[in-house]
Amino acid sequence: MQASNSPSLTRSQLATELGVSVFTLNQWAVSGKGPKAIRVGRQSVYRREDIDAYKATISSTESTPAPVSQPIGSYMMRLPEVLSLSGLSKSSIYAMSKAGEFPASVKLGSRAVGWPSHMVMQWLNDRMGNVA
């Protein structure tokens, strides 16, 4: 590919080379992730050295994540069910999660979270053990 031998790449050329979208590269640029971009007028370009350095860092830190193991029958509880089972308020759930006193939520989508049912049930069982 011609783009891989050139001294600098445009954002769209880099997106093709890395296999990500231009939107993703825009987000990386805003958040300071990815290879360092250089502004040339109104366009961002990427030097080959910076691209290679970035690729080296992601290949050295990249590993296959371990599959998440949940007990059979476990599912993701949504907030109304967690509130109903725990008897706590929404603000208490989030405050306790932040303090590490309640299982942390798992991001399911851009505006959705859930709690692994086995973790919530274990938390409830632990609380019941403290009462007796």
Side-chain angles (χ1 to χ4, degrees), residues 72-94:
I72 295 175
S74 183
Y75 63 98
M76 296 304 285
M77 287 184 174
R78 298 301 302 273
L79 183 61
E81 186 176 5
V82 174
L83 295 174
S84 175
L85 284 173
S86 68
L88 297 170
S89 68
K90 179 179 175 180
S91 58
S92 295
I93 295 284
Y94 283 106

Side-chain angles (χ1 to χ4, degrees), residues 41-75:
R42 294 180 62 187
Q43 187 174 17
S44 293
V45 295
Y46 297 85
R47 294 184 317 170
R48 174 56 50 195
E49 306 87 58
D50 294 332
I51 296 167
D52 293 339
Y54 172 72
K55 285 181 175 180
T57 60
I58 60 170
S59 65
S60 66
T61 60
E62 201 171 74
S63 63
T64 305
V68 176
S69 175
Q70 291 187 1
I72 295 175
S74 183
Y75 63 98

Side-chain angles (χ1 to χ4, degrees), residues 77 81-89 92-104 115-131:
M77 287 184 174
E81 186 176 5
V82 174
L83 295 174
S84 175
L85 284 173
S86 68
L88 297 170
S89 68
S92 295
I93 295 284
Y94 283 106
M96 291 174 72
S97 287
K98 187 175 182 178
E101 300 168 357
F102 191 82
W115 286 260
S117 63
H118 69 281
M119 295 177 77
V120 173
M121 298 309 286
Q122 182 62 50
W123 181 86
L124 288 169
N125 288 336
D126 291 346
R127 298 290 265 197
M128 295 301 283
N130 290 339
V131 172

